[in-house]
Amino acid sequence: MSTPVPSGPDDPVALTAALIRCPSVSPEDHGCLDLLCPRLEKLGFNNERIRFAPVENLWAKHGSGAPLLCFAGHTDVVPTGPREEWQTDPFEPTIKDGVMYGRGAADMKSGLAAMIVATERFISKHPKHKGTLAFLLTSDEEGPSIDGTRRVMEVLETRKEKIDWCLVGEPTSGDKLGDVVKIGRRGSLSGKLTVHGVQGHVAYPHLADNPVHAVAPALSELSSRSWDKGNQFFQPTTFQVSNISAGTGAPNVVPGELKLRFNIRFSTEQTVEKLQQTITEIFDRHKVNYTIEWFVSGLPFFTAPGVLSQAVQQSIKEFTGLATELSTTGGTSDGRFIAPTGAQVVELGVINASIHKVNESVRIADIEMLAKMYERVMELLLAVD
Ligand SMILES: [Zn+2]
């Protein structure tokens, strides 16, 4: 039995549902900002829609001067995956047993709804708060992430607008809302390797050069290597092969070429240059004949525990009693574009167990609780007492 979706205008659950109804598969915004912008405008925010078609971005501000506390997030979602594996329509939010199902329910339309409603409540109580309250929203987080937060940060940089504290609404929680917040993320470096050999008959290997055999010892070394031990806030660096292919399909032909893709998630103990050097040294030492293309999708970033993380921890503690874990695990996030400007970046959002999966879901009690936590953080940082 499903429960009706609430419709109250100041109910964050209702707003989450309205956002899920916009099928905003990345990089589409599909009307999400049109739902959020009028609400911010009504509060007196100065909304700036910054479009790099088809990507929709929003930079909105309320108040003036420092400190600037910014909520950041994305309106886009990943594709649904096989529709037949969904028990409900992914773009028709459905509540069953206190859980709302729909694409983006956890990543991160509930986060957006909680931020907006929390801001409405905070401003109604503190219309003349300290400093500036801002929103940086994009529809290009799940895709290439080129025309989203990255470009908006470039615009802000040219204007010398500076974010002091950034609270990202990505789903960070593990078992319970607020048990984990992120204060950084590992870096991500990918490589596309082509190993060149010589095709031939398997019965005449001396006339061929097998790229599979050539790369195998190097791969063995790379996959068993201990890169570093990590540090207080970062897990050790890891290497994974994600794709490998070679061979013509025929059982009697030595392949002439091998293609391989790998990814490294790295801690602040590494740099891109150091990793590239280590990897090319290993291929060279094993006399592999190769060409390689590199892709850096994010450098590691880290916010030392400070004013923002303390406010977030205090807020979580007050509502749940949990001593939250400050973590840097998981995939990268748009925080990577904001942290390098010197902003403190902390991510707090709902439970992430179902994100990017079929039947994505969020507990509706957590949406309301997250709104309370966000409101409390604003109070701790910007309320004039
Ligand atoms: Zn997300």
Side-chain angles (χ1 to χ4, degrees), residues 310-325:
Q310 277 159 17
V312 170
Q313 282 176 296
Q314 182 181 334
S315 162
I316 293 168
K317 180 106 199 195
E318 284 175 10
F319 289 109
T320 65
L322 288 171
T324 193
E325 179 196 339

Side-chain angles (χ1 to χ4, degrees), residues 73-74 76-78 106-109 141-142 168-171 185 332-334 347 355-356:
H74 60 91
D76 58 328
V77 296
V78 294
D107 186 10
M108 54 165 279
K109 291 180 166 175
E141 197 275 340
E142 301 288 9
V168 183
E170 290 283 3
R185 299 277 187 153
T332 188
S333 84
D334 271 3
E347 304 179 43
I355 63 172
H356 294 208

Side-chain angles (χ1 to χ4, degrees), residues 33 37 40-41 44-52 55-62 134-138 151-152 155-156 158-159 161:
L33 286 185
C37 285
L40 291 172
E41 213 170 279
F45 272 80
N46 177 30
N47 290 344
E48 240 184 291
R49 300 279 290 257
I50 305 175
R51 290 190 181 92
F52 300 107
V55 175
E56 291 278 350
N57 301 295
L58 173 70
W59 173 242
K61 287 196 301 184
H62 186 273
F135 277 79
L136 197 177
L137 306 182
T138 181
R151 295 271 302 259
V152 177
V155 171
L156 299 186
T158 60
R159 295 184 194 161
E161 289 194 66

Side-chain angles (χ1 to χ4, degrees), residues 165-183:
W165 300 312
C166 182
L167 189 49
V168 183
E170 290 283 3
T172 56
S173 298
D175 298 323
K176 285 186 185 144
L177 179 67
D179 60 357
V180 180
V181 303
K182 310 273 182 187
I183 54 167

Side-chain angles (χ1 to χ4, degrees), residues 14-240:
L15 182 53
T16 304
L19 288 166
I20 291 173
R21 284 193 196 100
C22 306
S24 55
V25 175
S26 191
E28 294 290 326
D29 169 79
H30 227 288
C32 289
L33 286 185
D34 292 340
L35 285 174
L36 306 180
C37 285
R39 297 178 70 139
L40 291 172
E41 213 170 279
K42 212 170 142 195
L43 295 173
F45 272 80
N46 177 30
N47 290 344
E48 240 184 291
R49 300 279 290 257
I50 305 175
R51 290 190 181 92
F52 300 107
V55 175
E56 291 278 350
N57 301 295
L58 173 70
W59 173 242
K61 287 196 301 184
H62 186 273
S64 62
L68 188 150
L69 167 63
C70 174
F71 281 105
H74 60 91
T75 57
D76 58 328
V77 296
V78 294
T80 60
R83 286 276 192 139
E84 63 279 10
E85 289 180 28
W86 281 80
Q87 276 154 18
T88 59
D89 181 338
F91 298 113
E92 186 47 59
T94 310
I95 299 176
K96 269 189 227 162
D97 302 324
V99 175
M100 181 185 283
Y101 295 85
R103 175 54 87 221
D107 186 10
M108 54 165 279
K109 291 180 166 175
S110 51
L112 294 176
M115 289 172 185
I116 296 286
V117 172
T119 300
E120 288 170 343
R121 292 172 183 168
F122 173 75
I123 288 182
S124 75
K125 292 177 205 158
H126 307 273
K128 293 199 188 321
H129 57 79
K130 273 189 258 182
T132 308
L133 195 51
F135 277 79
L136 197 177
L137 306 182
T138 181
S139 68
D140 179 31
E141 197 275 340
E142 301 288 9
S145 303
I146 290 167
D147 290 329
T149 305
R150 184 199 295 249
R151 295 271 302 259
V152 177
M153 288 307 292
E154 284 169 9
V155 171
L156 299 186
E157 173 113 47
T158 60
R159 295 184 194 161
K160 307 238 176 311
E161 289 194 66
K162 207 181 153 317
I163 296 173
D164 297 288
W165 300 312
C166 182
L167 189 49
V168 183
E170 290 283 3
T172 56
S173 298
D175 298 323
K176 285 186 185 144
L177 179 67
D179 60 357
V180 180
V181 303
K182 310 273 182 187
I183 54 167
R185 299 277 187 153
R186 288 175 295 172
S188 172
L189 171 68
S190 296
K192 215 169 150 181
L193 181 83
T194 306
V195 181
H196 311 287
V198 177
Q199 187 175 319
H201 195 299
V202 291
Y204 300 92
H206 58 290
L207 299 178
D209 177 10
N210 193 327
V212 180
H213 296 195
V215 82
L219 271 193
S220 159
E221 183 171 339
L222 285 165
S223 56
S224 58
R225 183 186 166 83
S226 162
W227 298 82
D228 53 58
K229 294 192 166 60
N231 54 37
Q232 190 189 355
F233 291 105
F234 281 87
Q235 297 170 300
T237 298
T238 57
F239 170 95
Q240 286 293 310

